[in-house]
Amino acid sequence: MADKRLFIYVTLLLSIGVLMSYSLSAYAIVFYHYSQFHFLIRELITGIIGIVIMWALSYLDLNRQFFIVGFIILVVSTLLIFILPFLPDSIASSAGGAKRWIRFPGFSLNPIEPFKVGYIFFISWSLSRKFDYNNKYNLLDQIMILIPHIFVFAVMAFMIAIFQNDLGQVVLLGASFIIILIFAGGSFQLFGLIMIGFGAIGTLFIVTSAHRILRLKTWWANIQDLALAIVPNSFIKDLQVNNLPEPYQIHNAANAIYNGGFFGVGLGNGTFKLGFLSDVHTDMILAGISEELGFIGLVVCVALIFFIVYRILRISYRQKNRFYYLFCLGISLLISISFIINAFGIVGITPVKGIAVPFLSYGGSNLLSNCIAIGLVLALSKKVKLK
C-alpha cells in the first residue's frame, strides 16, 4: 500500500495553496479585469487533477510502467524545451524577455517543470548504474564517468539559462545533481571540483546578463548596511557600493511579514498584496501567507513541507534498489531546495530567483509536475514498510 501520510500532507499543503491563490490574487484580478474567482477556479481544477494524478501513479507497476512513465516525461519535456525558442509568439508565451510557456487549449505549460522530474529520473538511473559502492574509483575514473552527465547538464543549462533566461532553475538542478552524485558514490574531491566548475559557469552567466547583475545589486542594496557593519573598517571602502537600486520587493516582503505578526491580519485582509508586492500569489506567496495567516500560518506551511520531505527520505532510505533510492532522494531535493531558495530570497539572504514554492505557489505547470513526482514516489513506497 502507498504511503497515506505523504499523500495527506501533500493534499493539505496543496489545499492551502488553492485557498491562498484566491485570497492573494485580488490586485491581479482588478489589474487584468479577471472575474473574482478566476485564479481560484483554475488552481482548484489543477489541484484536483494533481490529486488524481498522485493517486493514479501510486498504482504503477514498478517492474515496467515506472521506467516507461519516467522516460516519457524526460523525452517529451526535453523536446519541448528545445523547440520552445523557435515557436511563434501565438503559441509560446514570454516572461522576463524569454519564451517560457507553450499555449495549449485551455492551459499553458512551462516545460522546465516536468523536465526537472525527468532529469532527476535520468541522473538517478544513470548514476545508479555507473557507480558501485563495492569499487574504489580514483578521481580520474570518476571524472571519466561523469563527462557524459556534465555534457548533458551543460547543454540543458545553456538552453534554460540563455534561451529561457532562468538561471534559478539551473541552480536548483545543479544543486540536486551534486548531492545525488555524492550519495551515488562520488568522492568529496569530485564534489569540490564540480563546485568550482559550477561556480565559474554561474559567474559567467551572471556577468554577461544585465538583468542578473541588476538583481544581484538589488540584493546587495538590501544587505549592504548589515554586511558592512560586521567587516573590518579597512574593507568597507572596497565593499561599499553607491547608487544601488531600491530593493522594493524585498522591503515590501519584509514589511508584509512584520505586519502579519503572530496570528496574521486575517484571510483576505492583507494590504501588501494590493499592488505593493508583485507576484504575491506566485513567487512571493510566503510573504502573503505570513501577513494574512501570521507566524502560525507560516509555521504550518513549513511543517507540512518538512513532513513531506521527511516521508520521502524515509521511503528513499528503505529502498533496496539504488535507482529508486536515488530517485526518491532527488525528488526530496527538488522540493526542499526550491523552498529554501524561495524563502531565502524573500528574506534577503540570497537574491530573489523566481522559484515557486512547491504546492503553494499559483501555477499549473509547477503544481502538476510536483504531483507527478509525488505520485512516482508513492508508487515506490509500496516496496517498503513504513509506520
Side-chain angles (χ1 to χ4, degrees), residues 122-141:
F122 165 70
I123 60 173
S124 300
W125 169 74
S126 183
L127 291 178
S128 67
R129 295 168 60 248
K130 296 294 180 65
F131 281 94
D132 185 353
Y133 289 135
N134 297 321
N135 293 332
K136 297 295 183 181
Y137 301 97
N138 58 43
L139 184 59
L140 181 60
D141 290 336

Side-chain angles (χ1 to χ4, degrees), residues 7 10 14 44-56 367-368 370-372 375:
F7 181 83
V10 171
L14 187 154
L44 179 60
I45 293 174
T46 305
I48 293 173
I49 295 174
I51 292 172
V52 172
I53 287 174
M54 285 192 295
W55 174 81
L367 178 57
L368 292 180
N370 284 320
C371 286
I372 290 172

